[in-house]
Amino acid sequence: MNHYFITGTSRGIGKALATELLKDETNFVTGISRTSSIEHSNYIHVPLDLSIPGNIEKVDFTIFAKTKNVSLVNNSGVLGDIKYLGTLSDQTIIDTINLNFTSVALLCNSFIKKFHGFDGEKMIMNIGSGAGTSPVDGWSNYCTTKAALHMLTDVITLENKKKGVSNFKVYTISPGVVDTNMQDEMRKVSKENFSRVQEFIDFKEQGILNDPNVIARKINYVINNKNSFPDVSVSLKNVEV
Ligand SMILES: NC(=O)c1ccc[n+]([C@@H]2O[C@H](COP(=O)([O-])OP(=O)(O)OC[C@H]3O[C@@H](n4cnc5c(N)ncnc54)[C@H](OP(=O)(O)O)[C@@H]3O)[C@@H](O)[C@H]2O)c1
């Protein structure tokens, strides 16, 4: 059995991924987000606000005795308020950093500690973004937290190498532009707060946005073909399904 712990399974990419994985009856998914929208015999939901750091210790990484592979997919994420620095509230900065980065670091720490002596295959997959490597105006919190997440993944990879751990694959996935609630939010912002807003309106109108179900199939392909993806960073633009 393969056990996946996935954050943000209530909608968008996380829901599509959990749904895709649940097509295989040897997969079990624990979903974590504030709301739940999946009903399946191999799924349980942990209702949690991951922007509150004190909540992270409530995530219980208990698995079945027959589990052969265990994975953590850190997918929950928000843009936060899209505005220039100097006009943001302190609270939105704190909340966005807590969800997009602090929760990921705490969950990775807890997962690595818990499965230290686990003999099967382990995987951490962090859902990153192109915005983690190139700046976008109005997105300071999103860009910086995604950049931190990319670096966190690189450091875990390095530490696994130093420890001689070979049964543990770590990835940052850049999904490209995907037709989810997050994109809806981007298109509502004024040009003063986000100069590229028209470009994102055009993505939707021109049908350029990716279907979350296709993105989920690509992520599942990476999971099932890890030997073909030796690098830490994977851009789904280069994955064909
Ligand atoms: N869409 C894109 O174009 C795109 C591009 C690059 C990267 N990404 C990344 O892909 C990931 C998924 O995004 P998406 O596009 O699927 O967005 P989405 O449709 O808005 O879904 C976001 C998910 O995060 C969860 N979430 C939000 N706040 C949370 C909180 N406080 N605690 C726990 N969970 C929370 C939501 O669940 P609840 O509201 O139920 O808590 C939801 O399931 C994100 O990390 C995003 O940065 C998206």
Side-chain angles (χ1 to χ4, degrees), residues 68-239:
K68 296 259 187 299
N69 305 299
V70 63
S71 304
L72 168 65
V73 181
N74 288 302
N75 163 76
S76 278
V78 288
L79 285 163
D81 279 353
I82 303 180
K83 284 179 180 174
Y84 279 28
L85 271 174
T87 65
L88 289 165
S89 74
D90 288 353
Q91 198 56 51
T92 195
I93 295 173
I94 292 165
D95 290 345
T96 308
I97 292 173
N98 279 347
L99 178 66
N100 290 5
F101 182 69
T102 310
S103 78
V104 177
L106 294 176
L107 285 169
C108 288
N109 189 42
S110 175
F111 180 91
I112 292 166
K113 199 184 296 174
K114 169 83 184 185
F115 296 111
H116 169 69
F118 182 75
D119 287 339
E121 292 293 315
K122 299 179 271 189
M123 182 189 79
I124 290 179
M125 180 178 273
N126 294 324
I127 305 300
S129 168
T133 49
S134 56
V136 182
D137 68 313
W139 294 15
S140 57
N141 295 311
Y142 188 73
C143 290
T144 50
T145 51
K146 289 296 181 184
L149 197 144
H150 282 252
M151 181 52 79
L152 177 73
T153 320
D154 288 350
V155 172
I156 297 170
T157 305
L158 178 64
E159 291 181 353
N160 279 343
K161 253 186 215 152
K162 298 277 180 198
K163 290 190 286 190
V165 175
S166 58
N167 61 336
F168 195 167
K169 195 76 195 143
V170 187
Y171 287 115
T172 313
I173 298 283
S174 296
V177 282
V178 191
D179 199 358
T180 66
N181 186 61
M182 186 173 273
Q183 288 284 332
D184 296 345
E185 285 174 29
M186 289 172 200
R187 293 191 297 270
K188 289 181 198 151
V189 181
S190 72
K191 205 175 164 197
E192 292 68 47
N193 290 325
F194 172 34
S195 67
R196 290 173 58 190
V197 64
Q198 189 59 45
E199 199 183 313
F200 284 78
I201 293 168
D202 293 346
F203 286 160
K204 176 72 175 174
E205 285 174 359
Q206 293 165 7
I208 287 167
L209 297 178
N210 292 287
D211 180 337
N213 297 309
V214 174
I215 293 303
R217 287 207 294 280
K218 289 187 176 196
I219 296 174
N220 197 21
Y221 182 82
V222 173
I223 290 172
N224 289 315
N225 296 277
K226 295 191 190 79
N227 289 340
S228 306
F229 298 93
D231 296 338
V232 179
S233 287
V234 176
S235 168
L236 295 184
K237 278 182 202 143
N238 306 324
V239 177

